[in-house]
Amino acid sequence: KGVVLVPPPCGPPQADDIPGTVRYKTYEVLKEETHNDRTRWEYLPYSMHMAGPREAIQHMLIRKNFGCTHFIIGRDMAGSKSSVTGEDYYGAYDAQDFAKEKGAELGVTPVPSLNLVYTEEEGYVTADEAKEKGLSEKKLSGTKFRQMLRGGEDIPEWFAFKSVVKVLRENV
């Protein structure tokens, strides 16, 4: 039977992000919320550098050193924006494509994460399915989430567990 390793980075964050020590506390709550005997949590004392596809490769190597054979890689992993134009510097799937290109050489199989969205009609579905069916997507960016959190606004349950929001409110 396979085991899933969840190694969230808990190092110093970007300037406007949630501190690593607080993120650690949210992961402890998530561990309880999603309890599964085949899941292992190992906190990574590492900071995201938002370096795009090359950083995705670095994450694959770090996980390989933990003994992982596969690596789930999300859409726009470690993406960053241009400081001049504010536009995304890398394409949404550049990191996934680069990981697929280098996976065999690195001895790690990249597993592209599906781009899931939340819809009013059917809950969580893939973005392609939502578009195909004309479903109403609900969206909340990380930036907007942090603004709402700091402003004391209600956070939708489809976006985050209440227990995680509670930890964030108590510590941010």
Side-chain angles (χ1 to χ4, degrees):
K1 290 185 177 182
V3 174
V4 174
L5 175 68
V6 182
C10 290
Q14 302 292 320
D16 68 336
D17 210 344
I18 294 163
T21 54
V22 176
R23 282 184 285 133
Y24 172 83
K25 291 176 184 178
T26 65
Y27 298 138
E28 286 295 301
V29 171
L30 270 175
K31 194 189 315 187
E32 292 175 24
E33 288 277 2
T34 61
H35 178 75
N36 184 316
D37 291 335
R38 293 177 50 204
T39 302
R40 303 289 182 267
W41 292 72
E42 295 295 335
Y43 303 105
L44 189 59
Y46 176 87
S47 296
M48 293 293 292
H49 299 285
M50 311 319 282
R54 289 182 181 180
E55 185 168 358
I57 298 299
Q58 182 179 21
H59 280 265
M60 286 175 70
L61 290 171
I62 290 169
R63 276 36 172 218
K64 180 180 178 179
N65 289 338
F66 273 88
C68 296
T69 58
H70 292 69
F71 177 66
I72 299 171
I73 184 166
R75 177 189 171 281
D76 194 29
M77 181 179 174
S80 61
K81 297 193 180 299
S82 166
S83 59
V84 176
T85 66
E87 297 294 317
D88 288 335
Y89 189 78
Y90 300 103
Y93 299 97
D94 286 359
Q96 288 183 351
D97 292 343
F98 194 47
K100 284 180 205 170
E101 179 185 324
K102 299 293 183 184
E105 180 182 338
L106 299 173
V108 179
T109 303
V111 180
S113 175
L114 296 174
N115 186 14
L116 294 179
V117 295
Y118 186 83
T119 65
E120 293 177 6
E121 300 88 352
E122 296 187 19
Y124 295 101
V125 297
T126 65
D128 290 343
E129 184 179 351
K131 184 177 180 180
E132 188 178 289
K133 292 182 176 180
L135 303 175
S136 303
E137 293 182 31
K138 294 198 167 249
K139 295 183 179 184
L140 184 59
S141 71
T143 300
K144 179 66 177 166
F145 168 66
R146 289 187 295 275
Q147 288 172 348
M148 291 172 70
L149 187 66
R150 291 179 178 127
E153 298 176 53
D154 288 338
I155 306 298
E157 287 187 48
W158 56 263
F159 188 80
F161 287 110
K162 283 184 176 183
S163 56
V164 171
V165 172
K166 181 177 185 272
V167 168
L168 291 169
R169 289 206 193 283
E170 291 172 353
N171 293 278
V172 173

